[in-house]
Amino acid sequence: MVDKCLAEYDEEAEFYDEVVKADHREKLKQRLLQEIKPILGSLMDNISSQALNDFKSNLEKDMTGGKKFREAADWSKMLVKFDSDYKDSKIEQAQWTSNKVRDKLVSQISSHVDSIRSMKQNELTNQVKSKLKSGLTESMGAILKKPESNMWVNLSDLFQHETESTCSEFRVGLEDLGTNDTAKVEADEMLKGYGRDIIEKNVRKETLKILQLMQDKFCYILLNEPDSNIPRSWKGSDMIQDIVKTARTQCVNIMSAMAIIRLGSNKESDNIQQILSNALLEEGGEGRLTSSKWDGVEASKTLMSPATCATVWDHFLKSSGIIITSVKQTIQARNDADKMAATANNQPQQQQQHQPNVLETVLRTAFPVPALAIDLLGKLF
């Protein structure tokens, strides 16, 4: 249309002055282009909108078909088609470009891709966090149920194994999403921090049961043969005080393990076990534990302060003292019964049936963890 109009002008102005003719020809051309420009703008908007809709549709279809997001979100082919469509619509007489419309289209596509990527990354994050939580909690329960001096070594090994596995899976998923390296590093740190929080929260929760854990350990050592589930058969050579000392030492080890958070650190780097042993295994030594913090330990890493340990130990001594007295009394009663057996054949059986009932009565009214103690002592006596 522009060419036709200009051709008609050239024909009618053939014999006019060249300078004047050229000047008016340019003015006519610009007026014609101004008439056409809105129409071309509308056409370019339609081409851009169609390209965006096609991209969204193809992206959803490709992902549904199992294609990796990074590959499905590649918009290079779509831009080639857009440039081709613009070339077909280009007005040769004008110096207009598609840069503005093209940049807007790229921005819209990029925004859509980022939105889908963010949604997919959230789904992936929730998936690996759930897997990490499951892997940690399933194995952590057994470690915390019977805390030993190597508890934090086992927890650190568990943490490293589970986080390495899930972080590796996370990185592969982020790679498929086309995530940049900085985001991958941040995601790794986030996942490790999440795993660390899970372990620390579970240990803090278990710390509330510290007295129960110590009582269970004490009863187990006192009432069973060494390193065995077989009920202890008390012999004349058995030194109950030595057994009690061994049991208390193990309980101090439990308290030491539960005193501070040592995830990823070397247990040898602190002397808490030695401090507790010196203070608690000596008569009246708990009076030395009056501080509200451990030297060199951050408050955020403290589970039980020295003063808290002293309080727990005081309760432990009272409750364990009851069971020690009961055991001594029951052993003495059995010995007396054995002596009486020499003169009366029917009395041993009666004594053996009577004594556990007396002990059960004491335990049920005084000892905080009767189930374990009663069961074991019942088998013994």
Side-chain angles (χ1 to χ4, degrees):
M1 290 174 63
V2 172
D3 287 343
K4 182 180 179 181
C5 289
L6 292 178
E8 291 177 358
Y9 171 83
D10 291 338
E11 183 179 349
E12 293 186 15
E14 179 180 1
F15 301 108
Y16 284 84
D17 180 79
E18 291 296 329
V19 175
V20 174
K21 182 172 68 172
D23 180 58
H24 282 273
R25 189 180 191 280
E26 181 62 26
K27 290 180 180 179
L28 174 61
K29 176 182 174 182
Q30 294 302 320
R31 288 175 61 189
L32 290 170
L33 293 177
Q34 288 302 315
E35 292 291 331
I36 292 172
K37 190 173 184 178
I39 301 173
L40 179 64
S42 177
L43 175 62
M44 293 306 300
D45 287 341
N46 288 337
I47 293 175
S48 175
S49 297
Q50 185 62 47
L52 179 60
N53 290 334
D54 288 346
F55 174 79
K56 290 180 178 179
S57 177
N58 291 334
L59 177 61
E60 182 178 358
K61 185 186 300 182
D62 288 344
M63 287 193 300
T64 303
K67 200 171 186 178
K68 293 181 179 180
F69 177 83
R70 180 181 56 181
E71 299 173 359
D74 181 7
W75 62 67
S76 57
K77 291 182 180 180
M78 183 278 302
L79 287 181
V80 171
K81 184 177 185 305
F82 172 84
D83 291 338
S84 175
D85 290 343
Y86 171 74
K87 185 177 181 180
D88 292 341
S89 306
K90 185 178 180 180
I91 307 300
E92 297 296 338
Q93 296 84 352
Q95 300 299 317
W96 300 331
T97 67
S98 64
N99 291 347
K100 186 175 181 180
V101 178
R102 193 179 193 273
D103 290 345
K104 180 182 178 181
L105 174 61
V106 169
S107 176
Q108 289 174 324
I109 291 176
S110 178
S111 178
H112 180 69
V113 168
D114 288 343
S115 175
I116 299 298
R117 180 186 290 112
S118 178
M119 181 184 69
K120 292 294 183 181
Q121 186 168 332
N122 287 338
E123 292 176 357
L124 176 63
T125 299
N126 292 334
Q127 177 183 332
V128 294
K129 285 172 71 173
S130 176
K131 181 177 180 180
L132 177 59
K133 183 177 181 179
S134 176
L136 288 174
T137 52
E138 286 180 5
S139 301
M140 190 168 30
I143 298 175
L144 296 180
K145 186 176 181 181
K146 296 181 179 180
E148 304 290 346
S149 57
N150 63 344
M151 181 184 81
W152 286 105
V153 174
N154 293 335
L155 287 176
S156 295
D157 290 344
L158 174 65
F159 171 76
Q160 182 176 356
H161 176 268
E162 293 296 333
T163 52
E164 283 182 355
S165 174
T166 50
C167 281
S168 176
E169 179 181 334
F170 203 16
R171 284 191 292 269
V172 171
L174 292 176
E175 184 71 23
D176 290 343
L177 292 176
T179 307
N180 60 49
D181 291 339
T182 301
K184 292 175 186 175
V185 173
E186 292 175 351
D188 263 15
E189 292 303 316
M190 178 278 298
L191 198 58
K192 291 178 180 177
Y194 177 73
R196 190 175 292 107
D197 286 343
I198 290 175
I199 291 179
E200 292 183 2
K201 286 179 180 178
N202 276 272
V203 175
R204 288 185 184 278
K205 183 178 179 181
E206 205 66 22
T207 303
L208 301 176
K209 308 174 185 176
I210 182 67
L211 183 58
Q212 183 75 49
L213 293 171
M214 292 166 61
Q215 290 168 341
D216 288 348
K217 187 68 172 181
F218 182 83
C219 283
Y220 180 82
I221 295 175
L222 181 65
L223 303 178
N224 285 292
E225 294 291 345
D227 302 319
S228 170
N229 290 323
I230 301 174
R232 188 184 293 277
S233 55
W234 295 94
K235 301 178 288 292
S237 59
D238 287 334
M239 300 297 292
I240 189 169
Q241 290 305 321
D242 291 343
I243 298 172
V244 168
K245 183 178 180 180
T246 299
R248 286 177 176 172
T249 299
Q250 292 298 315
C251 291
V252 168
N253 291 342
I254 291 176
M255 183 178 287
S256 171
M258 304 289 280
I260 66 172
I261 294 172
R262 299 182 179 90
L263 190 62
S265 64
N266 184 2
K267 184 179 182 300
E268 301 301 325
S269 62
D270 66 74
N271 60 346
I272 291 178
Q273 182 172 350
Q274 188 61 46
I275 293 174
L276 291 175
S277 296
N278 293 340
L280 302 180
L281 296 179
E282 297 180 10
E283 189 70 26
E286 62 268 21
R288 308 174 199 169
L289 302 175
T290 57
S291 177
S292 60
K293 62 180 182 179
W294 299 101
D295 291 339
V297 179
E298 299 176 14
S300 61
K301 299 298 182 182
T302 299
L303 298 173
M304 294 192 302
S305 67
T308 301
C309 289
T311 301
V312 171
W313 188 255
D314 183 59
H315 288 300
F316 168 72
L317 289 181
K318 291 177 181 178
S319 60
S320 61
I322 296 173
I323 191 65
I324 294 171
T325 300
S326 299
V327 168
K328 288 180 177 179
Q329 291 174 348
T330 307
I331 293 173
Q332 184 61 48
R334 190 183 67 176
N335 291 338
D336 293 343
D338 289 342
K339 292 178 181 179
M340 295 175 63
T343 57
N345 293 330
N346 63 333
Q347 287 197 9
Q349 184 178 4
Q350 294 174 357
Q351 291 291 347
Q352 289 172 6
Q353 292 175 347
H354 177 68
Q355 294 303 329
N357 294 332
V358 174
L359 181 57
E360 287 180 17
T361 302
V362 174
L363 290 173
R364 293 190 185 281
T365 56
F367 195 61
V369 285
L372 174 63
I374 290 172
D375 180 61
L376 291 171
L377 286 170
K379 295 176 181 177
L380 274 174
F381 307 113

